[in-house]
Amino acid sequence: MPATVIVGAQWGDEGKGKIVDLLAQDSDLVCRYQGGPNAGHTIVVGEETYKIRAVPSGIIRGKPSAIGAGCVIDPAVLFAELDDLEARGHRTAGLVFVSGNAHLIMPWHVALDGARERKLGNLQIGTTRRGIGPAYADKATRIGIRVQDVLDPKILRAKIELAIAEKNVWLERVYGLEPFDPAEVVATYEGYAVRLRPYVADTSLLVDRALREGKRVLFEGAQGTLLDLDHGTYPFVTSSSPIAAGAAVSFGIGPNRIDEVLGVSKAYVTRVGEGPFPSEIEGPAQERVRELGGEFGTVTGRERRCGWLDLVALRYAVRLNGMTSLALTKLDVLSTFAELPVCVRYRLPDGSETEEFPAHQSDFHHCRPVFETLQGWEEELEGPALPEAALGYVRFVGGALGVPVTLVGTGQARDAVLALS
Ligand code: GDP
C-alpha cells in the first residue's frame, strides 16, 4: 500500500527498527514523524549493528529519508550520526531531508532536562535527559527555535537572545546552574547552519508529491503508543505523539492519505523508567526475560522492566492507532519457557474485570492483571514454520485483538522474520 505507518504498540523498544528496515526495502521514501535523539532503533546487518537515533532507519537501505516537523533535532547528534553512516559507506547527501519546521534542541534544553529530573528525585519521569521534553515545551510556548531559523543569522540571533534571557533566569535562580553566553550559542548554531542547510526541505510537499506519484511512503514513529503525550500513561510519557495520527500531523498531510497502520509489539512487554506496569513479571522470570531479550536501553543502557504480554494494553493500541496488522517481535525470547502467562483482563479496585484499558489513571495504577496461561514450545524458532504451540500463541494474540499478525520476529538478525498469511 502506498502509505504505511509503523507504530510501536507498547512502551517503545518493540523492535520497530528491524521491521522498518524490512519494509523499507519496498518503499520509496521513509519518514520519521516524532521524537528526538532518544529513540535508538537497533538494526543488525551481518556483523554490523546500527543504533540509529535521528535519521529514519530507511537510510540503511539507501532510501530517501525525511525527518518531519513533529521531530526535535539536536544538530550535534544528527551530524555525528550522518558522519558515522557516511564512514560505514552509506550516502546521506541528497537522501536525507529535514523539515524546516522541526524544532532544535538547544543547550539549555539539555541542561534543564537533567536539572529538573534531579530535582524531582523519586518523582522523576525517567527521561533520557537529552533536552527533548524542554524543546517540545518551548515549541508549545512559542519560544522554540526551528531548523529554518538557523538559515537566517539575524533571525537566529534574535531568537536565541530572546530565549536565553528567560532560560538563564531559570538555570541560575531555580537550579543554581551556570548561565549560557548568547554570543557563544549563536556562534555554535551559525556553525551548524552551514552543515544543516543542504538537508533542509519542505517535507510536506515531498510526501505529498511522492504519494501523488503513487510512490510507497513508510512512516516510522519513535517510542510507543503508551508513551503518547495525550493518550499514554501520563506523566510517564514522551513529549510528542507516537500514535499513528502523529504521522499525518508531522508531515502535513491529511489523515485520509494513510492506507495501512502496522503495529509492532514484542511477544512480551518492556517498560523503561517509572510508572504503573500491570503485567510486570514477579520473581526470577523477569530477570530471565531481560537477559534472554537483551532488555537494556539502546541509548542509556538502563535495565528495562519486563512483563508478560498485555492484551488489554495492546487492544488499546489497536484502537488508538487504527491498527490494520500487527508484527509480533522477539517471539524467540520466550522459547525456553514451559508456560506463558498472557494478561487478558484487568481486575479493577472495585473487583470488576475489564478487557478495555482504564480511562482513569487511578484504575490503571491499582488494577491487577488477570492471566491466561498458554503452552510454551520449548524449542528454537528455526526454519520456515513456527512450532505448533508458538503458532497457537500468535493466533491467540491475533484473535483476541481482532487484528491479523502478519509478521513474527524469531531472532535478532535482519532476516529473522517470518511472514504469516
Ligand atoms: P525499537 O526502538 O523499537 O527499534 O527497538 P530497539 O531497537 O530498542 O530494541 C529492539 C531490540 O530487539 C534490538 O536489539 C533488536 O535487534 C532486537 N530484536 C528485534 N527483533 C527481534 C527478534 O525478533 N528477536 C530478537 N531476539 N531480537 C530482536
Side-chain angles (χ1 to χ4, degrees):
M1 284 304 240
T4 301
V5 178
I6 295 189
V7 62
Q10 300 170 313
W11 274 291
D13 309 314
E14 297 93 347
K16 295 177 292 294
K18 193 172 112 175
I19 302 295
V20 176
D21 176 55
L22 182 75
L23 270 67
Q25 290 177 81
D26 299 320
S27 301
D28 302 300
L29 176 63
V30 182
C31 301
R32 164 86 179 268
Y33 62 86
Q34 49 77 226
N38 53 347
H41 292 317
T42 310
I43 299 169
V44 180
V45 183
E47 298 295 302
E48 295 267 328
T49 298
Y50 295 87
K51 292 188 186 286
I52 299 197
R53 296 181 189 176
V55 182
S57 337
I59 199 71
I60 306 289
R61 294 277 184 188
K63 300 292 177 165
S65 296
I67 302 175
C71 298
V72 291
I73 292 164
D74 185 329
V77 175
L78 176 67
F79 299 152
E81 194 162 301
L82 293 173
D83 287 343
D84 181 55
L85 286 164
E86 293 276 352
R88 293 186 191 203
H90 298 278
R91 182 165 74 86
T92 63
L95 278 184
V96 174
F97 304 90
V98 181
S99 168
N101 289 356
H103 279 245
L104 291 174
I105 296 173
M106 304 300 290
W108 48 85
H109 294 140
V110 181
L112 284 169
D113 205 354
R116 240 175 235 157
E117 283 284 275
R118 279 194 295 276
K119 199 164 185 127
L120 281 170
N122 286 345
L123 295 176
Q124 64 178 252
I125 311 289
T127 80
T128 50
R129 303 187 182 196
R130 291 175 187 275
I132 293 159
Y136 277 113
D138 278 0
K139 170 180 174 175
T141 317
R142 273 71 52 88
I143 57 161
I145 296 169
R146 298 192 294 173
V147 165
Q148 59 180 285
D149 293 330
V150 304
L151 303 181
D152 183 324
K154 252 171 55 193
I155 293 179
L156 179 66
R157 186 166 309 116
K159 292 206 171 186
I160 286 181
E161 282 169 359
L162 181 75
I164 229 170
E166 188 200 311
K167 298 300 168 188
N168 277 348
V169 175
W170 275 91
L171 286 166
E172 286 187 279
R173 306 245 182 103
V174 179
Y175 297 112
L177 295 174
E178 287 295 308
F180 285 99
D181 173 11
E184 242 173 64
V185 178
V186 168
T188 304
Y189 278 72
E190 275 177 355
Y192 291 157
V194 178
R195 178 101 199 253
L196 205 47
R197 187 181 292 275
Y199 293 105
V200 181
D202 181 343
T203 52
S204 165
L205 192 59
L206 186 75
V207 170
D208 180 64
R209 286 202 174 137
L211 290 175
R212 279 177 201 281
E213 289 166 13
K215 293 194 170 145
R216 290 153 303 180
V217 181
L218 195 62
F219 297 92
E220 62 166 286
Q223 290 89 36
T225 299
L226 294 171
L227 295 173
D228 186 84
L229 180 58
D230 292 293
H231 302 285
T233 48
Y234 191 91
F236 306 105
V237 294
T238 196
S239 32
S240 57
S241 300
I243 58 172
V249 174
S250 177
F251 278 90
I253 54 163
N256 55 349
R257 308 288 292 283
I258 291 167
D259 303 289
E260 294 286 334
V261 178
L262 171 64
V264 183
S265 165
K266 282 179 194 172
Y268 50 96
V269 193
T270 59
R271 169 159 209 184
V272 177
E274 310 306 316
F277 186 0
S279 70
E280 187 163 17
I281 302 171
E282 288 174 5
Q286 171 157 186
E287 185 62 34
R288 198 166 141 205
V289 171
R290 184 180 301 119
E291 290 297 329
L292 287 167
E295 296 299 351
F296 303 89
T298 310
V299 177
T300 59
R302 278 188 291 188
E303 277 189 0
R304 295 174 182 152
R305 296 157 68 194
C306 300
W308 301 118
L309 190 64
D310 182 343
L311 291 178
V312 180
L314 260 187
R315 189 173 290 110
Y316 183 53
V318 169
R319 164 157 49 105
L320 289 179
N321 293 300
M323 206 183 286
T324 53
S325 60
L326 184 71
L328 205 59
T329 63
K330 303 187 97 163
L331 192 65
D332 54 298
V333 173
L334 302 182
S335 289
T336 59
F337 290 85
E339 293 189 327
L340 295 166
V342 173
C343 174
V344 290
R345 291 185 298 282
Y346 291 163
R347 186 168 299 124
L348 299 175
D350 68 3
S352 64
E353 292 188 1
T354 180
E355 288 190 339
E356 299 299 340
F357 196 80
H360 197 286
Q361 59 190 356
S362 299
D363 284 337
F364 185 58
H365 278 243
H366 298 115
C367 70
R368 300 287 307 149
V370 178
F371 289 111
E372 199 166 318
T373 301
L374 305 189
Q375 196 195 331
W377 42 96
E378 295 184 276
E379 58 179 294
E380 288 193 11
L381 303 181
E382 292 168 335
L386 288 175
E388 196 59 32
L391 194 60
Y393 187 88
V394 172
R395 296 252 187 271
F396 183 83
V397 173
L401 300 175
V403 168
V405 178
T406 51
L407 296 170
V408 173
T410 56
Q412 220 192 359
R414 191 182 217 180
D415 54 1
V417 182
L418 289 181
L420 301 182
S421 48

